[in-house]
């Protein structure tokens, strides 16, 4: 798959807007996007007509390794993420292979990461909406949240805040996920997978 190396990267943190969702497991994509914005010294602002907040900047050391990025948080609720992301993709002329979705993943232990290109949505409504909007061939940074305890429904589990025990390590894991995104954009998928996939 060839893409224009000079094209910007669109890095999308998936989550739900609003303070009541801010600490939810489902919002870990927002948490990673917020940290990346902090690292590049930007603040999220509403993007024109798009139902999203964005920060534009560069990731990587000055020079040929520096990459132009657009960080985005869709403000449409998780299951409608595809529309805002596709609007941003068109506006910034981002090839699908330069889109990175950061999202929670039930089938991976808490705090573990898996990076991949393409694939199914594994029942994740944010990915389902993105794939419907522009196909599956985008990158995913999957942040493990583990399975619900006992018979707790999945919807209840993902819309609950991280437990107090989980929160003790959350900053470290979010930091590591942000590192993985930077590695993916600068050094490519294979390097990022060999360094961060657990």
């Amino acid at each position: 798959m060839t893409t224009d190396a000079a094209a910007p990267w669109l890095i999308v943190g998936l989550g739900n807007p609003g303070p009541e969702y801010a600490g939810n497991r489902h919002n870990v994509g927002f948490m990673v996007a917020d940290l990346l914005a902090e690292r590049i010294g930007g603040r999220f602002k509403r993007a024109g007509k798009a139902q999203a907040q964005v920060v534009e900047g560069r990731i990587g050391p000055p020079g040929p390794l520096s990459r132009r990025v657009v960080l985005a948080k869709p403000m449409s609720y998780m299951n409608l993420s595809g529309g805002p992301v596709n609007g941003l993709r068109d506006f910034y002329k981002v090839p699908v292979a330069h889109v990175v979705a950061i999202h929670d993943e039930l089938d991976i232990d808490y705090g573990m990461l898996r990076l991949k290109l393409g694939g199914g949505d594994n029942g994740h409504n944010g990915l389902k909406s993105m794939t419907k909007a522009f196909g599956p061939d985008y990158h995913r940074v999957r942040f493990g949240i583990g399975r619900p305890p006992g018979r707790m429904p999945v919807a209840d589990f993902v819309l609950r805040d991280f437990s107090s025990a989980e929160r003790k390590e959350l900053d470290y894991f979010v930091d590591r996920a942000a590192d993985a995104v930077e590695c993916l954009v600068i050094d490519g998928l294979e390097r990022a997978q060999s360094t961060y996939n657990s």
Side-chain angles (χ1 to χ4, degrees):
M1 185 184 324
T2 58
T3 58
D4 177 4
W9 286 77
L10 177 58
I11 299 169
V12 182
L14 291 178
N16 286 308
E20 68 273 34
Y21 298 107
N24 289 179
R25 292 181 178 91
H26 221 20
N27 269 42
V28 75
F30 274 18
M31 297 173 197
V32 177
D34 284 338
L35 178 57
L36 287 165
E38 200 179 298
R39 288 183 180 185
I40 65 174
R43 294 176 68 103
F44 278 101
K45 296 186 180 73
R46 182 69 84 170
K49 293 180 182 173
Q51 215 178 349
Q53 292 183 352
V54 300
V55 175
E56 295 179 56
R58 298 191 84 83
I59 281 178
L65 288 178
S66 175
R67 301 283 183 262
R68 187 172 153 231
V69 296
V70 179
L71 305 175
K73 296 192 296 186
M75 293 285 120
S76 57
Y77 291 101
M78 183 70 85
N79 60 343
L80 299 172
S81 301
V85 175
N86 206 29
L88 292 172
R89 202 179 67 74
D90 285 346
F91 181 77
Y92 289 103
K93 299 183 170 44
V94 177
V96 173
H98 274 208
V99 176
V100 181
I102 310 162
H103 64 92
D104 57 307
E105 178 62 64
L106 288 158
D107 288 335
I108 303 174
D109 290 341
Y110 173 60
M112 301 293 103
L113 295 175
R114 299 271 166 76
L115 286 78
K116 66 180 218 172
L117 174 62
D121 56 57
N122 206 18
H124 192 288
N125 288 331
L127 298 182
K128 199 176 288 182
S129 179
M130 286 176 61
T131 296
K132 188 175 176 190
F134 51 84
D137 297 327
Y138 53 92
H139 289 86
R140 297 102 191 276
V141 175
R142 304 157 73 203
F143 186 110
I145 59 168
R147 302 294 305 182
R151 295 170 178 266
M152 184 190 289
V154 164
D156 291 350
F157 179 68
V158 300
L159 292 176
R160 286 211 175 154
D161 286 2
F162 286 100
S163 69
S164 55
E166 288 170 331
R167 280 200 299 273
K168 287 176 183 158
E169 295 181 291
L170 183 59
D171 286 351
Y172 168 75
F173 289 139
V174 167
D175 196 65
R176 192 166 179 271
D179 290 347
V181 172
E182 291 181 349
C183 183
L184 167 63
V185 170
I186 297 163
D187 298 319
L189 180 62
E190 282 185 29
R191 169 71 68 83
Q193 285 175 325
S194 66
T195 307
Y196 294 98
N197 274 15
S198 40

